[in-house]
Amino acid sequence: MVDPVAVIPAGVTRVVFKQMVEGDFRKIEAQSNDADTGGGARDLRFSPFEEFAKIFSIIFPTLRKEKRKRNGVATDVDVFVGRLHWTEGGKEVSKEVTFEPPTDARPNEGRIPVVHTYPPLNNPPATNQGKMVLLLIQRNDGTVWPAFTTEASLKSGEWEPMVAASVLRSLSAKRPVNQVARGYIDLVTGQEYSDAD
């Protein structure tokens, strides 16, 4: 797993973040979803879709048509395509990743499907240092690196202040029990979004 302290301060352009909860960890371990209604989707979901599509269109910059069922009919949908990067045995590797539009069942949620197939995502660190957050970190060469961090680490003072402040504000916001902290920071334009806004 990428050390987030090593990659955040220098050469980072954008950060997408999502608080990870038990249901997310079951997805990345390829276990069932929380509901007992079947399915067991292995998606990481980001809502509202229209807001997150803005940032995913930049970090996953290729637009591709894919067939997906909508209202029971195979339909062309626009999918944002990029690559996730990580290191294995000291060597950089990458794999194609997509951010897809909402399904009929979840009309406001964009998603990264089959998250259990990405090695840096399917082995999160064990921690007791507060809430855990997944970061998708885009470097200035355009590459996107996933990393996990904790609330305690974000409070350590070792993070880029704009990133830490945005994520911590979102983590501390009051929200319905079925919602998690999520948002993004564009360090190039200064634009940011958080569900706490």
Side-chain angles (χ1 to χ4, degrees):
M1 180 51 53
V2 175
D3 176 5
V5 175
V7 297
I8 277 289
V12 171
T13 55
R14 294 166 192 91
V15 178
V16 178
F17 66 89
K18 181 184 189 319
Q19 179 187 355
M20 300 294 285
V21 293
E22 285 303 314
D24 295 314
F25 290 121
R26 283 192 287 278
K27 291 173 188 178
I28 63 180
E29 293 165 1
Q31 297 177 12
S32 183
N33 59 356
D34 282 338
D36 58 6
T37 55
R42 311 289 199 261
D43 303 337
L44 279 184
R45 299 177 183 137
F46 296 83
S47 66
F49 170 72
E50 288 191 12
E51 189 62 53
F52 279 94
K54 296 174 188 175
I55 196 73
F56 278 103
S57 69
I58 298 171
I59 68 169
F60 299 164
T62 301
L63 193 63
R64 187 166 71 201
K65 296 281 187 189
E66 295 279 358
K67 291 281 188 195
R68 298 290 184 264
K69 278 200 173 180
R70 296 295 184 264
N71 296 316
V73 176
T75 305
D76 283 332
V77 299
D78 290 328
V79 171
F80 298 114
V81 183
R83 298 193 76 80
L84 288 184
H85 294 253
W86 66 94
T87 56
E88 283 182 9
K91 182 179 178 184
E92 181 178 330
V93 294
S94 68
K95 183 176 179 179
E96 184 178 277
V97 62
T98 60
F99 180 70
E100 305 208 357
T103 63
D104 292 338
R106 297 182 178 273
N108 197 33
E109 295 182 346
R111 60 201 181 91
I112 297 175
V114 296
V115 292
H116 62 288
T117 65
Y118 300 99
L121 297 182
N122 63 26
N123 189 24
T127 182
N128 59 358
Q129 297 184 336
K131 298 170 184 173
M132 186 173 290
V133 180
L134 170 66
L135 307 172
L136 299 176
I137 301 165
Q138 186 176 44
R139 295 179 178 179
N140 57 11
D141 63 1
T143 59
V144 178
W145 297 74
F148 290 99
T149 192
T150 63
E151 188 174 19
S153 176
L154 289 162
K155 291 178 178 177
S156 69
E158 297 177 329
W159 287 82
E160 198 285 330
M162 184 177 176
V163 172
S166 183
V167 178
L168 288 169
R169 186 173 66 250
S170 183
L171 286 173
S172 64
K174 294 184 185 290
R175 62 177 51 80
V177 69
N178 63 341
Q179 290 184 6
V180 298
R182 63 210 181 275
Y184 62 81
I185 307 102
D186 189 325
L187 296 165
V188 176
T189 65
Q191 181 182 5
E192 60 180 304
Y193 167 79
S194 164
D195 69 317
D197 295 340

PDB file of all heavy atoms in Angstrom, residues 52-73:
ATOM      1  N   PHE A  52     -19.636  13.991  -8.296  1.00  0.00           N
ATOM      2  CA  PHE A  52     -18.427  13.176  -8.406  1.00  0.00           C
ATOM      3  C   PHE A  52     -18.022  12.927  -9.858  1.00  0.00           C
ATOM      4  O   PHE A  52     -16.841  12.709 -10.136  1.00  0.00           O
ATOM      5  CB  PHE A  52     -18.581  11.868  -7.630  1.00  0.00           C
ATOM      6  CG  PHE A  52     -18.335  12.059  -6.168  1.00  0.00           C
ATOM      7  CD1 PHE A  52     -19.386  12.298  -5.303  1.00  0.00           C
ATOM      8  CD2 PHE A  52     -17.043  12.034  -5.658  1.00  0.00           C
ATOM      9  CE1 PHE A  52     -19.159  12.507  -3.947  1.00  0.00           C
ATOM     10  CE2 PHE A  52     -16.805  12.242  -4.312  1.00  0.00           C
ATOM     11  CZ  PHE A  52     -17.860  12.477  -3.446  1.00  0.00           C
ATOM     12  N   ALA A  53     -18.974  12.979 -10.781  1.00  0.00           N
ATOM     13  CA  ALA A  53     -18.618  12.830 -12.195  1.00  0.00           C
ATOM     14  C   ALA A  53     -17.652  13.934 -12.625  1.00  0.00           C
ATOM     15  O   ALA A  53     -16.795  13.711 -13.487  1.00  0.00           O
ATOM     16  CB  ALA A  53     -19.869  12.837 -13.066  1.00  0.00           C
ATOM     17  N   LYS A  54     -17.752  15.108 -12.009  1.00  0.00           N
ATOM     18  CA  LYS A  54     -16.857  16.214 -12.362  1.00  0.00           C
ATOM     19  C   LYS A  54     -15.399  15.848 -12.111  1.00  0.00           C
ATOM     20  O   LYS A  54     -14.531  16.109 -12.937  1.00  0.00           O
ATOM     21  CB  LYS A  54     -17.209  17.467 -11.550  1.00  0.00           C
ATOM     22  CG  LYS A  54     -18.569  18.050 -11.821  1.00  0.00           C
ATOM     23  CD  LYS A  54     -18.849  19.198 -10.856  1.00  0.00           C
ATOM     24  CE  LYS A  54     -20.274  19.696 -10.949  1.00  0.00           C
ATOM     25  NZ  LYS A  54     -20.561  20.727  -9.922  1.00  0.00           N
ATOM     26  N   ILE A  55     -15.117  15.248 -10.964  1.00  0.00           N
ATOM     27  CA  ILE A  55     -13.732  14.939 -10.621  1.00  0.00           C
ATOM     28  C   ILE A  55     -13.276  13.635 -11.265  1.00  0.00           C
ATOM     29  O   ILE A  55     -12.146  13.518 -11.712  1.00  0.00           O
ATOM     30  CB  ILE A  55     -13.524  14.932  -9.085  1.00  0.00           C
ATOM     31  CG1 ILE A  55     -12.036  15.002  -8.741  1.00  0.00           C
ATOM     32  CG2 ILE A  55     -14.179  13.725  -8.431  1.00  0.00           C
ATOM     33  CD1 ILE A  55     -11.414  16.347  -8.975  1.00  0.00           C
ATOM     34  N   PHE A  56     -14.169  12.640 -11.333  1.00  0.00           N
ATOM     35  CA  PHE A  56     -13.763  11.382 -11.963  1.00  0.00           C
ATOM     36  C   PHE A  56     -13.513  11.553 -13.457  1.00  0.00           C
ATOM     37  O   PHE A  56     -12.704  10.834 -14.036  1.00  0.00           O
ATOM     38  CB  PHE A  56     -14.785  10.280 -11.687  1.00  0.00           C
ATOM     39  CG  PHE A  56     -14.596   9.627 -10.351  1.00  0.00           C
ATOM     40  CD1 PHE A  56     -15.428   9.932  -9.288  1.00  0.00           C
ATOM     41  CD2 PHE A  56     -13.574   8.707 -10.144  1.00  0.00           C
ATOM     42  CE1 PHE A  56     -15.241   9.340  -8.045  1.00  0.00           C
ATOM     43  CE2 PHE A  56     -13.380   8.111  -8.913  1.00  0.00           C
ATOM     44  CZ  PHE A  56     -14.216   8.422  -7.858  1.00  0.00           C
ATOM     45  N   SER A  57     -14.171  12.519 -14.090  1.00  0.00           N
ATOM     46  CA  SER A  57     -13.901  12.768 -15.514  1.00  0.00           C
ATOM     47  C   SER A  57     -12.495  13.312 -15.723  1.00  0.00           C
ATOM     48  O   SER A  57     -11.952  13.224 -16.826  1.00  0.00           O
ATOM     49  CB  SER A  57     -14.928  13.748 -16.086  1.00  0.00           C
ATOM     50  OG  SER A  57     -14.735  15.049 -15.550  1.00  0.00           O
ATOM     51  N   ILE A  58     -11.875  13.830 -14.660  1.00  0.00           N
ATOM     52  CA  ILE A  58     -10.506  14.332 -14.746  1.00  0.00           C
ATOM     53  C   ILE A  58      -9.508  13.242 -14.366  1.00  0.00           C
ATOM     54  O   ILE A  58      -8.510  13.040 -15.051  1.00  0.00           O
ATOM     55  CB  ILE A  58     -10.318  15.564 -13.834  1.00  0.00           C
ATOM     56  CG1 ILE A  58     -11.242  16.698 -14.278  1.00  0.00           C
ATOM     57  CG2 ILE A  58      -8.866  16.026 -13.841  1.00  0.00           C
ATOM     58  CD1 ILE A  58     -11.295  17.863 -13.316  1.00  0.00           C
ATOM     59  N   ILE A  59      -9.774  12.518 -13.278  1.00  0.00           N
ATOM     60  CA  ILE A  59      -8.780  11.530 -12.841  1.00  0.00           C
ATOM     61  C   ILE A  59      -8.869  10.224 -13.635  1.00  0.00           C
ATOM     62  O   ILE A  59      -7.877   9.503 -13.736  1.00  0.00           O
ATOM     63  CB  ILE A  59      -8.841  11.283 -11.319  1.00  0.00           C
ATOM     64  CG1 ILE A  59     -10.121  10.579 -10.890  1.00  0.00           C
ATOM     65  CG2 ILE A  59      -8.639  12.567 -10.551  1.00  0.00           C
ATOM     66  CD1 ILE A  59     -10.095  10.095  -9.446  1.00  0.00           C
ATOM     67  N   PHE A  60     -10.060   9.919 -14.186  1.00  0.00           N
ATOM     68  CA  PHE A  60     -10.220   8.793 -15.113  1.00  0.00           C
ATOM     69  C   PHE A  60     -10.675   9.401 -16.446  1.00  0.00           C
ATOM     70  O   PHE A  60     -11.860   9.433 -16.758  1.00  0.00           O
ATOM     71  CB  PHE A  60     -11.263   7.795 -14.608  1.00  0.00           C
ATOM     72  CG  PHE A  60     -10.953   7.137 -13.286  1.00  0.00           C
ATOM     73  CD1 PHE A  60     -11.957   6.476 -12.588  1.00  0.00           C
ATOM     74  CD2 PHE A  60      -9.687   7.163 -12.737  1.00  0.00           C
ATOM     75  CE1 PHE A  60     -11.693   5.857 -11.379  1.00  0.00           C
ATOM     76  CE2 PHE A  60      -9.402   6.548 -11.526  1.00  0.00           C
ATOM     77  CZ  PHE A  60     -10.417   5.891 -10.839  1.00  0.00           C
ATOM     78  N   PRO A  61      -9.738   9.902 -17.272  1.00  0.00           N
ATOM     79  CA  PRO A  61     -10.091  10.837 -18.342  1.00  0.00           C
ATOM     80  C   PRO A  61     -10.637  10.252 -19.637  1.00  0.00           C
ATOM     81  O   PRO A  61     -11.091  11.001 -20.497  1.00  0.00           O
ATOM     82  CB  PRO A  61      -8.758  11.542 -18.607  1.00  0.00           C
ATOM     83  CG  PRO A  61      -7.719  10.519 -18.272  1.00  0.00           C
ATOM     84  CD  PRO A  61      -8.287   9.741 -17.120  1.00  0.00           C
ATOM     85  N   THR A  62     -10.622   8.940 -19.817  1.00  0.00           N
ATOM     86  CA  THR A  62     -11.119   8.368 -21.068  1.00  0.00           C
ATOM     87  C   THR A  62     -12.604   8.061 -20.934  1.00  0.00           C
ATOM     88  O   THR A  62     -13.028   7.422 -19.964  1.00  0.00           O
ATOM     89  CB  THR A  62     -10.350   7.073 -21.418  1.00  0.00           C
ATOM     90  OG1 THR A  62      -8.963   7.390 -21.537  1.00  0.00           O
ATOM     91  CG2 THR A  62     -10.852   6.473 -22.717  1.00  0.00           C
ATOM     92  N   LEU A  63     -13.387   8.508 -21.896  1.00  0.00           N
ATOM     93  CA  LEU A  63     -14.824   8.232 -21.903  1.00  0.00           C
ATOM     94  C   LEU A  63     -15.097   7.089 -22.870  1.00  0.00           C
ATOM     95  O   LEU A  63     -14.660   7.128 -24.026  1.00  0.00           O
ATOM     96  CB  LEU A  63     -15.597   9.481 -22.323  1.00  0.00           C
ATOM     97  CG  LEU A  63     -17.101   9.475 -22.084  1.00  0.00           C
ATOM     98  CD1 LEU A  63     -17.421   9.368 -20.602  1.00  0.00           C
ATOM     99  CD2 LEU A  63     -17.727  10.751 -22.657  1.00  0.00           C
ATOM    100  N   ARG A  64     -15.786   6.064 -22.389  1.00  0.00           N
ATOM    101  CA  ARG A  64     -16.045   4.879 -23.217  1.00  0.00           C
ATOM    102  C   ARG A  64     -17.509   4.478 -23.081  1.00  0.00           C
ATOM    103  O   ARG A  64     -18.087   4.577 -22.008  1.00  0.00           O
ATOM    104  CB  ARG A  64     -15.134   3.741 -22.750  1.00  0.00           C
ATOM    105  CG  ARG A  64     -15.181   2.516 -23.630  1.00  0.00           C
ATOM    106  CD  ARG A  64     -14.025   1.583 -23.299  1.00  0.00           C
ATOM    107  NE  ARG A  64     -14.198   0.930 -22.001  1.00  0.00           N
ATOM    108  CZ  ARG A  64     -13.194   0.393 -21.297  1.00  0.00           C
ATOM    109  NH1 ARG A  64     -11.953   0.453 -21.737  1.00  0.00           N
ATOM    110  NH2 ARG A  64     -13.430  -0.194 -20.155  1.00  0.00           N
ATOM    111  N   LYS A  65     -18.089   4.026 -24.175  1.00  0.00           N
ATOM    112  CA  LYS A  65     -19.455   3.503 -24.161  1.00  0.00           C
ATOM    113  C   LYS A  65     -19.413   2.039 -23.735  1.00  0.00           C
ATOM    114  O   LYS A  65     -18.629   1.256 -24.271  1.00  0.00           O
ATOM    115  CB  LYS A  65     -20.107   3.598 -25.536  1.00  0.00           C
ATOM    116  CG  LYS A  65     -20.301   5.012 -26.036  1.00  0.00           C
ATOM    117  CD  LYS A  65     -21.496   5.671 -25.426  1.00  0.00           C
ATOM    118  CE  LYS A  65     -21.773   7.025 -26.074  1.00  0.00           C
ATOM    119  NZ  LYS A  65     -22.798   7.771 -25.346  1.00  0.00           N
ATOM    120  N   GLU A  66     -20.263   1.674 -22.785  1.00  0.00           N
ATOM    121  CA  GLU A  66     -20.391   0.288 -22.342  1.00  0.00           C
ATOM    122  C   GLU A  66     -21.873  -0.071 -22.317  1.00  0.00           C
ATOM    123  O   GLU A  66     -22.723   0.779 -22.069  1.00  0.00           O
ATOM    124  CB  GLU A  66     -19.804   0.105 -20.935  1.00  0.00           C
ATOM    125  CG  GLU A  66     -18.308   0.325 -20.844  1.00  0.00           C
ATOM    126  CD  GLU A  66     -17.507  -0.881 -21.279  1.00  0.00           C
ATOM    127  OE1 GLU A  66     -18.112  -1.918 -21.628  1.00  0.00           O
ATOM    128  OE2 GLU A  66     -16.269  -0.783 -21.278  1.00  0.00           O
ATOM    129  N   LYS A  67     -22.182  -1.340 -22.562  1.00  0.00           N
ATOM    130  CA  LYS A  67     -23.563  -1.814 -22.479  1.00  0.00           C
ATOM    131  C   LYS A  67     -23.892  -2.142 -21.020  1.00  0.00           C
ATOM    132  O   LYS A  67     -23.177  -2.899 -20.367  1.00  0.00           O
ATOM    133  CB  LYS A  67     -23.764  -3.080 -23.318  1.00  0.00           C
ATOM    134  CG  LYS A  67     -23.678  -2.848 -24.813  1.00  0.00           C
ATOM    135  CD  LYS A  67     -24.951  -2.258 -25.354  1.00  0.00           C
ATOM    136  CE  LYS A  67     -24.902  -2.233 -26.887  1.00  0.00           C
ATOM    137  NZ  LYS A  67     -25.936  -1.373 -27.432  1.00  0.00           N
ATOM    138  N   ARG A  68     -24.964  -1.551 -20.524  1.00  0.00           N
ATOM    139  CA  ARG A  68     -25.461  -1.843 -19.190  1.00  0.00           C
ATOM    140  C   ARG A  68     -26.986  -1.921 -19.267  1.00  0.00           C
ATOM    141  O   ARG A  68     -27.606  -1.206 -20.061  1.00  0.00           O
ATOM    142  CB  ARG A  68     -25.053  -0.755 -18.184  1.00  0.00           C
ATOM    143  CG  ARG A  68     -23.556  -0.589 -17.988  1.00  0.00           C
ATOM    144  CD  ARG A  68     -22.939  -1.769 -17.271  1.00  0.00           C
ATOM    145  NE  ARG A  68     -21.515  -1.562 -17.009  1.00  0.00           N
ATOM    146  CZ  ARG A  68     -20.536  -2.014 -17.768  1.00  0.00           C
ATOM    147  NH1 ARG A  68     -20.819  -2.694 -18.882  1.00  0.00           N
ATOM    148  NH2 ARG A  68     -19.279  -1.794 -17.457  1.00  0.00           N
ATOM    149  N   LYS A  69     -27.578  -2.768 -18.429  1.00  0.00           N
ATOM    150  CA  LYS A  69     -29.037  -2.855 -18.417  1.00  0.00           C
ATOM    151  C   LYS A  69     -29.632  -1.659 -17.695  1.00  0.00           C
ATOM    152  O   LYS A  69     -29.251  -1.342 -16.569  1.00  0.00           O
ATOM    153  CB  LYS A  69     -29.491  -4.141 -17.731  1.00  0.00           C
ATOM    154  CG  LYS A  69     -29.449  -5.338 -18.649  1.00  0.00           C
ATOM    155  CD  LYS A  69     -30.332  -6.447 -18.131  1.00  0.00           C
ATOM    156  CE  LYS A  69     -30.389  -7.553 -19.180  1.00  0.00           C
ATOM    157  NZ  LYS A  69     -31.218  -8.665 -18.754  1.00  0.00           N
ATOM    158  N   ARG A  70     -30.558  -1.015 -18.369  1.00  0.00           N
ATOM    159  CA  ARG A  70     -31.321   0.084 -17.788  1.00  0.00           C
ATOM    160  C   ARG A  70     -32.778  -0.161 -18.122  1.00  0.00           C
ATOM    161  O   ARG A  70     -33.118  -0.346 -19.287  1.00  0.00           O
ATOM    162  CB  ARG A  70     -30.866   1.446 -18.341  1.00  0.00           C
ATOM    163  CG  ARG A  70     -29.422   1.817 -17.981  1.00  0.00           C
ATOM    164  CD  ARG A  70     -29.232   2.004 -16.479  1.00  0.00           C
ATOM    165  NE  ARG A  70     -27.898   2.438 -16.125  1.00  0.00           N
ATOM    166  CZ  ARG A  70     -26.922   1.621 -15.737  1.00  0.00           C
ATOM    167  NH1 ARG A  70     -27.129   0.315 -15.693  1.00  0.00           N
ATOM    168  NH2 ARG A  70     -25.742   2.106 -15.397  1.00  0.00           N
ATOM    169  N   ASN A  71     -33.616  -0.213 -17.102  1.00  0.00           N
ATOM    170  CA  ASN A  71     -35.031  -0.557 -17.287  1.00  0.00           C
ATOM    171  C   ASN A  71     -35.175  -1.873 -18.041  1.00  0.00           C
ATOM    172  O   ASN A  71     -36.056  -2.038 -18.884  1.00  0.00           O
ATOM    173  CB  ASN A  71     -35.786   0.569 -18.006  1.00  0.00           C
ATOM    174  CG  ASN A  71     -35.821   1.844 -17.193  1.00  0.00           C
ATOM    175  OD1 ASN A  71     -36.069   1.818 -15.992  1.00  0.00           O
ATOM    176  ND2 ASN A  71     -35.554   2.960 -17.844  1.00  0.00           N
ATOM    177  N   GLY A  72     -34.264  -2.821 -17.753  1.00  0.00           N
ATOM    178  CA  GLY A  72     -34.334  -4.155 -18.342  1.00  0.00           C
ATOM    179  C   GLY A  72     -33.829  -4.259 -19.769  1.00  0.00           C
ATOM    180  O   GLY A  72     -33.920  -5.314 -20.381  1.00  0.00           O
ATOM    181  N   VAL A  73     -33.279  -3.157 -20.305  1.00  0.00           N
ATOM    182  CA  VAL A  73     -32.843  -3.143 -21.696  1.00  0.00           C
ATOM    183  C   VAL A  73     -31.352  -2.818 -21.755  1.00  0.00           C
ATOM    184  O   VAL A  73     -30.869  -1.913 -21.056  1.00  0.00           O
ATOM    185  CB  VAL A  73     -33.629  -2.078 -22.504  1.00  0.00           C
ATOM    186  CG1 VAL A  73     -33.128  -1.988 -23.932  1.00  0.00           C
ATOM    187  CG2 VAL A  73     -35.112  -2.375 -22.459  1.00  0.00           C
TER     188      VAL A  73
END
